Amino acid sequence: MAVRAVRGAVQLERDDAGHMEEQVGELLTAVLERNGLTGDDLISIWFTATPDLHSAFPAAAARGLGIVDVPLICAQELDIAGAMPRVVRLLAHVDTELPKSEVAHVYLGAAAALRKDIAQ
């Protein structure tokens, strides 16, 4: 078993708590499924949100999925002129047998433009 980092992001259509929970839940579910992971494989998750998102904590979506025994933290992205708006990113640390080259980083919807080099 090795510790690996998995990246992901999603762009929200609007700053709304229910929408954030839905979209972040979809992102986290995709990260787990595409990497063959379960909640037990999670070590920790960092969530960041762009400064234009105020309605909810992205980590609340993970708690809503039943991920209750994993350390989670939320932070704000840098406010860079011209950056994509309404984006939630995650960095999950996981236990996995996957080599680094096979880790699936997940960028959903318009967020795929953020990392064309690694988006799956």
Side-chain angles (χ1 to χ4, degrees):
M1 224 27 122
V3 175
R4 301 285 185 229
V6 185
R7 292 289 317 266
V10 64
Q11 183 183 39
L12 278 60
E13 295 175 15
R14 61 192 174 280
D15 184 21
D16 172 81
H19 181 60
M20 181 179 292
E21 183 174 351
E22 173 189 314
Q23 293 297 298
V24 174
E26 182 178 326
L27 174 62
L28 187 50
T29 298
V31 164
L32 294 173
E33 288 177 355
R34 293 183 193 181
N35 288 287
L37 302 168
T38 68
D40 288 338
D41 299 317
L42 294 169
I43 297 168
S44 65
I45 306 173
W46 282 80
F47 291 95
T48 64
T50 51
D52 52 0
L53 294 173
H54 308 278
S55 62
F57 292 104
R63 299 291 186 225
L65 291 175
I67 299 171
V68 296
D69 61 350
V70 175
L72 308 175
I73 193 165
C74 297
Q76 189 176 77
E77 282 286 331
L78 295 173
D79 191 8
I80 303 297
M84 184 179 287
R86 301 178 317 281
V87 175
V88 174
R89 293 172 173 85
L90 69 77
L91 174 63
H93 301 96
V94 302
D95 281 322
T96 182
E97 299 287 342
L98 292 174
K100 287 181 185 179
S101 62
E102 292 182 23
V103 171
H105 304 283
V106 179
Y107 289 78
L108 299 179
L114 294 171
R115 290 298 306 264
K116 294 178 184 176
D117 58 325
I118 63 172
Q120 307 277 318

